[in-house]
Amino acid sequence: MAKYLYEVSLARGRSNPEHHIFLQNVMNLNGKSSDYGGINGLCVVSHHMDIDVVRLLCEEGLKKSEADLTVTEITKKSLASTRSSHRLHTDLINDYFLPYGDYPNIK
């Protein structure tokens, strides 16, 4: 089954009062961080559902911080762009996600 990669971010990271809810939600979706510091406010989530469903799953339980949550789809075009924040995740995607799944928007 084809999967899609999403960059999920929460404004203000750990300073956000609802960070613990965000962290639990993305951990339930098996979110991965690009660095060894753990998930502060930015992670990559692999899922077979569309972006709207992933956003609903990530914002579950957030009351005040729904507007602080951003979910964007990672594509081959966004990884190649010099202006995209998705380039941060290139190594994670190449080493962790691509060998173990089918991601038609990346290949």
Side-chain angles (χ1 to χ4, degrees):
M1 176 180 288
K3 292 184 179 180
Y4 304 95
L5 291 174
Y6 301 101
E7 179 186 69
V8 182
S9 63
L10 183 68
R12 297 177 294 169
R14 290 187 184 190
S15 298
N16 192 307
E18 295 185 316
H19 178 266
H20 64 285
I21 300 169
F22 165 77
L23 181 62
Q24 186 62 47
N25 290 344
V26 294
M27 294 295 282
N28 288 341
L29 293 172
N30 202 21
K32 300 294 178 195
S33 176
S34 295
D35 59 14
Y36 296 108
I39 298 173
N40 293 318
L42 181 68
C43 69
V44 177
V45 171
S46 170
H47 210 280
H48 65 278
M49 299 300 273
D50 67 353
I51 195 168
D52 296 325
V53 172
V54 172
R55 180 173 177 79
L56 285 173
L57 293 171
C58 290
E59 72 183 11
E60 184 179 354
L62 295 177
K63 304 224 183 314
K64 299 176 184 175
S65 302
E66 282 184 18
D68 293 339
L69 184 72
T70 306
V71 180
T72 56
E73 186 173 352
I74 300 173
T75 63
K76 185 176 185 176
K77 185 178 178 181
S78 69
L79 283 172
S81 173
T82 57
R83 297 180 183 179
S84 175
S85 65
H86 297 165
R87 294 187 75 183
L88 291 169
H89 312 298
T90 303
D91 290 338
L92 176 68
I93 291 168
N94 289 334
D95 297 339
Y96 186 81
F97 290 108
L98 290 182
Y100 307 106
D102 180 30
Y103 299 95
N105 290 350
I106 303 292
K107 293 184 179 180

